[in-house]
């Protein structure tokens, strides 16, 4: 990064350094909601241990609207019943949100 070789022992450390990976195959957890899948690894917190559910659902709703998906997906909708196109859109929304924070993107 920035002309220097880097090595990370854990994916979380690479993520913290601003590196993002966009997966070609959707990596969706079927028992989580659309919002939880979009923000997996970056769930908003209200302190050290508690999730900020209001912010999670509001951020997901805003992202769904940005992508024109508000009528097709709901933030609290479980992903188990989603079709391939909807799963791919969640992966794209996840990547888009993270790309805004990324310093390096690896396909």
């Amino acid at each position: 990064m920035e002309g220097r070789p880097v090595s990370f022992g854990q994916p979380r450390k690479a993520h913290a350094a601003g590196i993002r990976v966009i997966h070609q195959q959707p990596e969706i957890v079927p028992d989580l909601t659309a919002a939880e899948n979009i923000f997996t690894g970056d769930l908003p917190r209200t302190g050290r241990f508690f999730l900020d559910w209001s912010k999670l659902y509001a951020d997901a709703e805003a992202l769904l609207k940005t992508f024109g998906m508000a009528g097709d997906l709901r933030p609290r909708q479980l992903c188990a019943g989603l079709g391939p196109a909807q799963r791919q859109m969640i992966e794209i929304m996840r990547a888009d949100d993270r790309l805004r924070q990324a310093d390096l993107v690896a396909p």
Side-chain angles (χ1 to χ4, degrees):
M1 291 181 67
E2 298 179 8
R4 298 183 325 259
V6 294
S7 177
F8 301 99
Q10 301 172 349
R12 185 165 293 285
K13 289 183 180 180
H15 182 85
I19 296 173
R20 301 295 184 265
V21 177
I22 301 172
H23 300 279
Q24 291 183 5
Q25 295 295 325
E27 294 186 354
I28 304 300
V29 180
D31 293 329
L32 295 182
T33 65
E36 291 166 313
N37 269 290
I38 291 168
F39 293 103
T40 296
D42 290 316
L43 296 169
R45 300 193 180 277
T46 58
R48 189 169 177 193
F49 300 107
F50 300 103
L51 294 180
D52 187 343
W53 293 102
S54 296
K55 180 169 176 33
L56 173 68
Y57 293 131
D59 290 352
E61 185 68 35
L63 204 54
L64 288 166
K65 286 179 183 175
T66 298
F67 278 85
M69 295 294 296
D72 299 314
L73 285 171
R74 296 177 318 279
R76 297 173 192 248
Q77 182 176 354
L78 288 179
C79 292
L82 298 181
Q86 292 170 312
R87 289 173 178 251
Q88 191 64 48
M89 284 306 299
I90 287 178
E91 190 74 28
I92 291 167
M93 286 184 274
R94 180 188 304 157
D96 180 71
D97 180 64
R98 292 177 180 171
L99 283 174
R100 294 178 201 177
Q101 307 166 29
D103 295 319
L104 176 69
V105 177

